[in-house]
Amino acid sequence: MALSQLNALTSPVDDHQLRALQVALKDMSPTQIAWVSGYLAGIGGRGPTAPAEPKAVETITILYGSQTGNAKAVAEQLGSQALGQGMDVRVISMGDFSPRKLTKERWVLLVVSTHGEGEPPESAFALHAFVQDQGAVRLEQLRYAVLGLGDSSYEHFCRTAVDFDRRLAELGAQRILPLQCCDLDYRPDTERWSTDALNRLNAIAPRRAGNVVAMPGLRSHQEQSQNQARPYDKDNPYPATLLENRRITTPDAVADVRHLALAIDPGALHYRPGDALGVWVKNDPALADAILAGVGLEGETRIRLGDEEIDLRRALIERLELTQLHPTTVRAWSERSCTPELKALATDAATLRAYSGERQLIDLVSDHPAPIDAPALVALLRPLQPRLYSIASSQAEYEDEVHLTVSVVRYQAHGRDHLGAASGFLSERLGRNEAVRVYLAENDAFRLPDDGNTPLIMIGSGTGVAPYRAFLQQRAANGDGGRNWLIFGNRHFHRDFLYQLDWQAHRKAGRLDRVSLAFSRDGAQKLYVQQRLREEGMEILRWIDAGAHLYVCGATVMGQAVDRALVDIFTTEAGLDPDAAQACVDTLRREARYHRDLYA
């Protein structure tokens, strides 16, 4: 049926109006289209309107750049507060915001995390590059404030937020609040900053008269309190049930990698390929007992955590970080210890980070004994944080399950055995049919392209292959016709080829067009995925020229090596100089054709 015929049957608008609407929506993201839909629904329900009056105030825009979902949650909470105060507010991912539109904005609050070694999250890359450019336009009309989320154990703490705050000021924009950098226990600081930001805006920004049109899903505090069905999130996790815990490496493999299947209610949790699952875990009770013995404290001792009073042992198991040793903990312990070498290393930031990264709390208290009471011990420990795992399944194939690929962190060092908190909990201490608290961590920067005919190049090492299992399941369910190329690396073909049967099935079905493997310990020379990329550089360029999206998932070190390999490919195969080659890679990232999901 022709467009005109369909329009005549179903639409009250004429062909010209319909085509104009299609053109207007053509380049919008799904988030923007959803907002426009809600906006039109809002104004459509008002009935006849009086002639429009001049707009009283520009919209307050809250931009977030989030890698794990924390910055997004803070931004949405801030937006809800602003909405409750009658402000004209919109909350937008930096990935859905056209950087050039920054020149039109008047009031902007930025909430952004820092990823890896001081890099912006993927969704913030284009906006970050836009303001950092030496030829960036002036922004004298802009009033702004920046909130950064980070981890002070890293050298470049909140660097992305620092970059935005400094550069916006250099471009003529005016701060309405000083930069706020938040550590892992960010909630008190973000709540205080949010209140300060809104108070400042109320004082200096003209108020909007009339109704407020908010993004769909954005609710004020009052509306949230009236809604009895609280959604599952980081603060209200869902109790998933363990269905399967299966080792997918051979018994003689160096790494013990498990495939976990968790039962969920699809009405409660709905995920998309590329998302991660946040898992709240419990520490090993044996480790908690060893720490108690090491510091000479009784587990039954009552201590306070916030407004709650609980046993010290329970706090160590359920509430406090024991396996990820933070530099601030080591520095505080050095002030109690009489060990000269510990005091010395605590004065050098790089040495302190290296020491902390190689040890757990048990190593510190055992090797450098010091007297301490229960409240002081609790005060120097960080809150236990959830761990994120890339989801290895598509809900189109496993509606009521979510699959994870977990590498068990187990090693011997400093005279004792060590086990990772999360991997040990999931692989050894969580029993079948037992519940584990989980929540969805959306990753909009690591999505399948909307066009199912788009070619994919999927690069991963180790458990970084997990999201590609979800990608191919989803493409199979969709009936997508795009070509798929898997580039995978691990140690040994016969021991560590994760999900080998899955890839073979996709290959047989014609969904996996090309597979390139790099097993580093099978030959005389070590071979990694970045070397395989260089070897197949010309074919990589052909796929990119055909519109392929590139995906990289795995350790940060691997991701950086892949970046260098791509620059080398543009240099050697396309004949570009190194700066132009780097510009090509950066352009792929700005165009959201080069997606990275990297972790330490």
Side-chain angles (χ1 to χ4, degrees), residues 88-138:
D88 182 9
V89 61
R90 58 176 182 164
V91 181
I92 309 175
S93 167
M94 292 180 181
D96 293 329
F97 180 79
S98 174
R100 293 193 179 278
K101 290 185 178 180
L102 198 61
T103 62
K104 307 296 183 184
E105 297 288 339
R106 177 89 185 270
W107 310 95
V108 173
L109 303 177
L110 298 95
V111 182
V112 65
S113 62
T114 294
H115 187 57
E117 296 300 324
E119 295 185 7
E122 292 301 304
S123 61
F125 180 82
L127 184 62
H128 184 267
F130 176 79
V131 301
Q132 294 297 323
D133 190 279
Q134 291 302 309
V137 297
R138 302 290 294 173

Side-chain angles (χ1 to χ4, degrees), residues 568-598:
D568 289 346
I569 288 171
F570 279 106
T571 302
T572 58
E573 303 296 348
L576 302 178
D577 64 64
D579 288 342
Q582 182 65 60
C584 286
V585 175
D586 291 343
T587 297
L588 289 172
R589 289 184 70 183
R590 282 195 297 271
E591 293 177 348
R593 289 181 55 199
Y594 179 26
H595 315 262
R596 307 191 312 163
D597 186 7
L598 306 177

Side-chain angles (χ1 to χ4, degrees), residues 284-303:
D284 187 350
L287 177 61
D289 291 339
I291 291 170
L292 288 169
V295 297
L297 294 175
E298 297 295 329
E300 295 77 15
T301 303
R302 302 291 285 179
I303 56 95

Side-chain angles (χ1 to χ4, degrees), residues 70 112-121 128 146-166 179-187 189-190 192 326-328 331 349 353 382:
N70 290 336
V112 65
S113 62
T114 294
H115 187 57
E117 296 300 324
E119 295 185 7
H128 184 267
V146 181
L147 173 73
L149 301 183
D151 180 348
S152 62
S153 66
Y154 286 90
E155 179 180 0
H156 304 291
F157 174 54
C158 284
R159 178 173 176 174
T160 302
V162 172
D163 287 348
F164 272 118
D165 183 70
R166 172 188 54 79
L179 168 67
Q180 174 68 60
C181 293
C182 304
D183 212 336
L184 292 175
D185 188 16
Y186 57 83
R187 196 174 304 279
D189 287 334
T190 61
R192 181 172 57 252
H326 200 278
T328 58
R331 186 179 291 113
R353 283 194 301 272
R382 294 295 180 108

Side-chain angles (χ1 to χ4, degrees), residues 464-478:
V465 79
Y468 307 140
R469 185 173 182 266
F471 279 11
L472 291 185
Q473 288 177 3
Q474 187 68 48
R475 295 200 107 179
N478 293 345

Side-chain angles (χ1 to χ4, degrees), residues 8 19 24 32 63 97 116 134 258 269 275 277-279 293 296 298 309 351 407 421 447 522 565:
R19 289 193 177 92
Q32 292 169 323
L63 296 175
F97 180 79
Q134 291 302 309
R258 306 295 180 91
L269 285 184
D275 286 337
L277 195 72
V279 181
E298 297 295 329
E309 183 177 291
T351 304
S407 181
R447 290 275 184 249
D522 277 347

Side-chain angles (χ1 to χ4, degrees), residues 224 388 393 521 587:
Q224 292 179 42
L388 296 182
S393 57
R521 304 299 194 271
T587 297

